[in-house]
């Protein structure tokens, strides 16, 4: 945590008083985790790992194995940071919860990934409306050890700082890109379709649904198409976008987005479940079980 030496205030939480730093980061109060907290971690960790063999992409599984997370106990950020420092130079910083957009982008632009320090309750194993430690650590951190993906995340943060200065419509476009890649992305591997999005790998139901259900669309990644597309925050996604590799993602997002934002400003948003004429459709969803309203 060398980047955040300045302690500015303290925050009272149900785990006690934790220091809050100027960048919105907190020290992981590791000693205060209860037996229940460690048990929730173990349950989720074992359940997802069993499910993700053959479902998560090779890069996710390999990096998770080598970064030293295990079911035994909630990982210490300091230990994961040692592994990250040796590979891609990313750093985990603890946070209380969601950060203001610009603060979040600035962390990513500096290769710092904010991780919520608290973990969900035993009765919340299957669904939680805000990110917790399990989602952030288990879902996001393994791919930060993958060099190309690690660079993508930093480039995204820099792009976020830029979009924030351009305006709210640009931010909406950029947020959709994060949603459909970092959170809910699928990737085509030599031996089949796999998951890389953190929102999927940290969810039992969506790990199965995203790959195996007939309901959702699965469409080849196209930058501007993704940036126009609304998404779901309260149900499984109606559409997943599929990349062929992290290099493709990196190359597609390398150009300056400024003219793209200008172009997209004149175009209507695409509803989450819609299939468009130019789409590379891998699977057209049956739409079974789709809620009618509620795209954001
Ligand atoms: N190339 C983008 C821009 O100019 C930045 C970016 C890179 C955004 C990677 C997202 C992902 O704004
Ligand atoms: Fe997330």
């Amino acid at each position: 945590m060398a980047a955040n030496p300045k302690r500015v205030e303290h925050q009272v939480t149900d785990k006690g008083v934790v220091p809050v730093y100027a960048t919105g980061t907190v020290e992981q109060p590791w000693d205060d985790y209860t037996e229940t907290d460690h048990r929730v971690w173990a349950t989720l960790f074992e359940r997802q790992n069993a499910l993700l063999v053959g479902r998560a992409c090779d890069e996710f599984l390999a990096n998770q194995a080598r970064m030293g997370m295990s079911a035994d106990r909630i990982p210490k950020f300091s230990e994961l940071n040692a592994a990250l420092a040796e590979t891609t130079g990313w750093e985990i910083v603890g946070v209380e919860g969601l950060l203001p957009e610009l603060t979040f982008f600035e962390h990513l632009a500096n290769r710092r990934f904010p991780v919520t320090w608290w973990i969900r309750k035993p009765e919340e194993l299957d669904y939680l409306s805000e990110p917790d430690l399990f989602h952030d650590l288990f879902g996001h951190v393994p791919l930060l050890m993958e060099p190309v993906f690690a660079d993508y995340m930093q480039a995204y943060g820099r792009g976020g700082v830029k979009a924030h200065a351009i305006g709210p419509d640009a931010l909406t476009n950029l947020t959709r890109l994060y949603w459909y890649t970092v959170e809910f992305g699928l990737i085509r591997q030599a031996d089949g379709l796999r998951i890389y999005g953190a929102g999927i790998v940290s969810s039992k139901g969506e790990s199965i649904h995203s790959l195996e259900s007939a309901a959702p669309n699965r469409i080849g990644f196209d930058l501007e198409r993704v940036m126009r597309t609304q998404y779901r925050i309260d149900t499984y996604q109606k559409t997943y976008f599929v990349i062929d590799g992290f290099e493709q993602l990196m190359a597609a997002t390398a150009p300056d987005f400024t003219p793209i934002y200008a172009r997209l400003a004149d175009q209507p948003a695409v509803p989450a479940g819609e299939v468009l004429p130019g789409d590379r459709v891998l699977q057209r969803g049956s739409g079974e079980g789709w809620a009618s309203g509620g795209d954001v």
Side-chain angles (χ1 to χ4, degrees), residues 152 155-156 159 162 174 177 253-257 261:
Y152 172 70
Y156 185 91
K162 192 166 98 184
L174 191 70
L177 175 64
T253 53
D256 180 7
F257 283 8
Y261 294 137

Side-chain angles (χ1 to χ4, degrees), residues 164-287:
H164 190 268
I166 294 174
D169 290 347
L171 269 185
T172 299
N173 295 145
L174 191 70
T175 300
R176 291 178 184 146
L177 175 64
Y178 191 88
W179 196 261
Y180 280 120
T181 60
V182 178
E183 295 291 355
F184 291 96
L186 296 181
I187 185 166
R188 200 159 26 179
Q189 256 177 220
D191 53 351
L193 210 56
R194 296 287 188 277
I195 305 161
Y196 73 93
I200 309 180
V201 292
S202 61
S203 158
K204 178 185 175 188
E206 199 148 7
S207 293
I208 299 169
H209 180 88
S210 64
L211 292 176
E212 286 148 58
S213 170
N217 302 311
R218 298 188 188 89
I219 295 174
F221 178 87
D222 176 88
L223 179 67
E224 291 188 38
R225 164 67 158 99
V226 167
M227 291 174 91
R228 288 172 62 198
T229 308
Q230 296 178 312
Y231 54 87
R232 307 291 307 183
I233 53 170
D234 55 349
T235 65
Y236 297 147
Q237 300 308 308
K238 294 180 175 180
T239 299
Y240 299 95
F241 290 97
V242 182
I243 61 171
D244 293 318
F246 296 128
E247 290 80 5
Q248 177 206 12
L249 186 58
M250 200 63 192
T253 53
D256 180 7
F257 283 8
T258 309
I260 300 179
Y261 294 137
R263 191 156 60 232
L264 293 181
D266 303 327
Q267 295 181 29
V270 180
E274 198 149 309
V275 176
L276 300 180
D279 286 342
R280 261 186 310 128
V281 180
L282 307 178
Q283 175 185 279
R284 181 180 286 263
S286 69

Side-chain angles (χ1 to χ4, degrees), residues 9-135:
E9 59 179 292
H10 288 75
Q11 186 166 331
V12 182
T13 74
D14 63 359
K15 291 284 159 61
V17 179
V18 293
V20 180
Y21 299 99
T23 51
T25 65
V26 301
E27 234 161 63
Q28 182 188 26
W30 196 87
D31 291 333
D32 297 337
Y33 290 129
T34 64
E35 274 315 302
T36 305
D37 291 335
H38 289 293
R39 199 155 21 85
V40 166
W41 169 266
T43 304
L44 290 169
F45 186 93
E46 279 171 349
R47 196 171 83 170
Q48 283 313 102
N49 266 356
L51 210 55
L52 290 177
V53 178
R55 290 197 175 91
C57 66
D58 291 345
E59 292 90 343
F60 179 92
L61 296 172
N63 285 310
Q64 192 216 54
R66 82 192 166 114
M67 72 187 318
M69 289 186 193
S70 78
D72 303 350
R73 56 179 175 89
I74 293 174
K76 291 187 176 172
F77 295 175
S78 55
E79 292 172 6
L80 299 177
N81 277 338
L84 284 164
E86 280 173 21
T87 52
T88 55
W90 272 78
E91 180 191 10
I92 295 166
V93 292
V95 292
E96 188 59 44
L98 293 173
L99 296 170
E101 271 163 335
L102 186 57
T103 309
F104 178 66
F105 294 143
E106 282 170 344
H107 279 303
L108 298 186
N110 290 289
R111 288 174 104 84
R112 291 191 301 264
F113 192 79
V115 172
T116 306
W117 66 265
W118 54 267
I119 193 160
R120 68 192 74 183
K121 300 191 182 78
E123 60 271 24
E124 296 169 321
L125 291 192
D126 293 318
Y127 184 76
L128 198 64
S129 62
E130 56 182 325
D132 73 334
L133 177 134
F134 184 75
H135 167 80

